[in-house]
Each structure stands twice: as structure tokens, then as C-alpha cells.
């Protein structure tokens, strides 16, 4: 899956920090366009800061592709979020809780994998999914793939590596209504 970007270089630098495989000034399978440019695209970005671009990408891309997996590593101050489609990681970000909350509220047709540990309030995140099923993945079990993922994606932060590792495990399916 190749993402293309058309727009200002400053916003591309932000998108590049979130997307795994994106090309500047090219159309791809999915094209991301800066709203300041009069060009048509699949995803139109009306903002340029990291948080806003991440929210737009994480809510728009799964809707366009129709499904996939969302890995979430909940933390006390920052949270890792990763979107995987057909086994290929497409998006990654480290976000604050209000941003993760907005992404979880807008998930449709996604398998959500959340790391479960005694230090995390999984119920709070799962309650945002409107009674949809969530997969709770034991963080200790998923930690076995961290080293391999860190070698494959050395530019990802620890929270993003954890979120990505959760998508590789089925975990326990739960629905909190």
C-alpha cells in the first residue's frame, strides 16, 4: 500500500512522522492532500499540527480502506497508536488521552487490540467503542516481539512498538457495554 501526498512540505514533514510509507508530490493508492492546495485527494488535511493530522489520518484511512487493526498502548501520560491493514502497518503515533479517545470513538469495522496490564484502565478505553468487541492482549506476552519490531522499525518510539506488537496477538475478546 502506497500513500501519496500533495501539498506543502511543512505538512508533509508532519504526515511523514505518522505514516509508514508515503511519497511527496505523488499520487498513491490513497492520496493525502493539503487543504491549502486546490487538488483532489482521498484524505484532505485542514490542519498542520501533529495531533490534528494524526486524528484526521487515523479516522479517515480506516474508513476508506474498510477495516484493519488498531493497536493501542495506554500509558499514564502518552499513548501509542498503530493502524495495520492487511498485515501491513500504515500509521503510527504517540498521542495524549483526548486524541486516543477521539480515535476510539470513531472506530468502525476495526479490530481494536489494547494492551492489558495491572497499570492500565482498559475499561475506560473499551467503553468508548460503543459495545464493539475489543481484544485485550497481555503486554507480557506481546513483549516477546518487541525486539524484532524495534530492529525492523528503529524510528518508532517505545509506545508505538508496543501498540504494533499488540496487533500481532489475538488476545481475549471482550465487549464492555
Amino acid at each position: 500500500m502506497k500513500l501519496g501526498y500533495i501539498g506543502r512540505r511543512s505538512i508533509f514533514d508532519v504526515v511523514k512522522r505518522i505514516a509508514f510509507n508515503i511519497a511527496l508530490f505523488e499520487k498513491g493508492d490513497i492520496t493525502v492532500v493539503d487543504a491549502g492546495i486546490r487538488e483532489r485527494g482521498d484524505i484532505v488535511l485542514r490542519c498542520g499540527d501533529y495531533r490534528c493530522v494524526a486524528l484526521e489520518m487515523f479516522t479517515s484511512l480506516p474508513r476508506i480502506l474498510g477495516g484493519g487493526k488498531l493497536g493501542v498502548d495506554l500509558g499514564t501520560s502518552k499513548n501509542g497508536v498503530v493502524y495495520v491493514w492487511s498485515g501491513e502497518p500504515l500509521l503510527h503515533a504517540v498521542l495524549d488521552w483526548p486524541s486516543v479517545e477521539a480515535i476510539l470513538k470513531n472506530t468502525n469495522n476495526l479490530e481494536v487490540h489494547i494492551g492489558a496490564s495491572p497499570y492500565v484502565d482498559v475499561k475506560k478505553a473499551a467503553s468508548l467503542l460503543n459495545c464493539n468487541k475489543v481484544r485485550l492482549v497481555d503486554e507480557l506476552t506481546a513483549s516477546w516481539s518487541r525486539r524484532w519490531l524495534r530492529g525492523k522499525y528503529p524510528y518508532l518510539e517505545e509506545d508505538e512498538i508496543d501498540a504494533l506488537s499488540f496487533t500481532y496477538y489475538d488476545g481475549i475478546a471482550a465487549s464492555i457495554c
Side-chain angles (χ1 to χ4, degrees):
M1 166 73 53
K2 183 179 176 185
L3 299 175
Y5 174 81
I6 299 172
R8 292 175 285 179
R9 179 64 186 237
S10 61
I11 296 177
F12 173 74
D13 290 338
V14 176
V15 174
K16 188 172 65 173
R17 291 176 47 206
I18 297 166
F20 276 93
N21 184 17
I22 190 155
L24 179 61
F25 302 129
E26 287 185 29
K27 292 193 177 210
D29 299 319
I30 303 287
T31 303
V32 180
V33 175
D34 174 7
I37 305 297
R38 295 175 192 239
E39 183 75 32
R40 289 185 175 231
D42 301 300
I43 299 172
V44 178
L45 300 176
R46 291 174 173 70
C47 55
D49 65 278
Y50 181 83
R51 180 180 183 267
C52 184
V53 169
L55 284 172
E56 190 63 37
M57 295 289 288
F58 273 97
T59 54
S60 299
L61 193 57
R63 193 176 320 121
I64 291 168
L65 294 174
K69 294 181 179 183
L70 185 72
V72 181
D73 177 41
L74 299 173
T76 54
S77 61
K78 57 185 185 168
N79 309 280
V81 184
V82 173
Y83 174 62
V84 177
W85 184 72
S86 291
E88 181 182 356
L90 297 180
L91 302 173
H92 60 91
V94 176
L95 299 167
D96 59 356
W97 172 248
S99 301
V100 173
E101 188 175 31
I103 290 169
L104 290 174
K105 284 181 181 177
N106 289 309
T107 58
N108 294 323
N109 302 323
L110 283 179
E111 258 185 49
V112 179
H113 296 245
I114 298 176
S117 76
Y119 310 108
V120 176
D121 185 10
V122 175
K123 288 191 307 186
K124 184 178 176 182
S127 67
L128 299 168
L129 298 172
N130 301 322
C131 293
N132 290 332
K133 192 170 39 173
V134 64
R135 301 219 169 249
L136 304 177
V137 178
D138 178 39
E139 289 194 21
L140 186 60
T141 302
S143 70
W144 289 100
S145 59
R146 283 185 193 149
R147 187 176 196 174
W148 173 76
L149 289 170
R150 199 173 293 117
K152 187 168 181 163
Y153 306 107
Y155 50 87
L156 292 182
E157 291 188 34
E158 190 73 26
D159 296 311
E160 294 168 318
I161 292 284
D162 289 344
L164 182 57
S165 71
F166 301 154
T167 65
Y168 292 106
Y169 294 91
D170 287 333
I172 298 169
S175 179
I176 298 174
C177 295

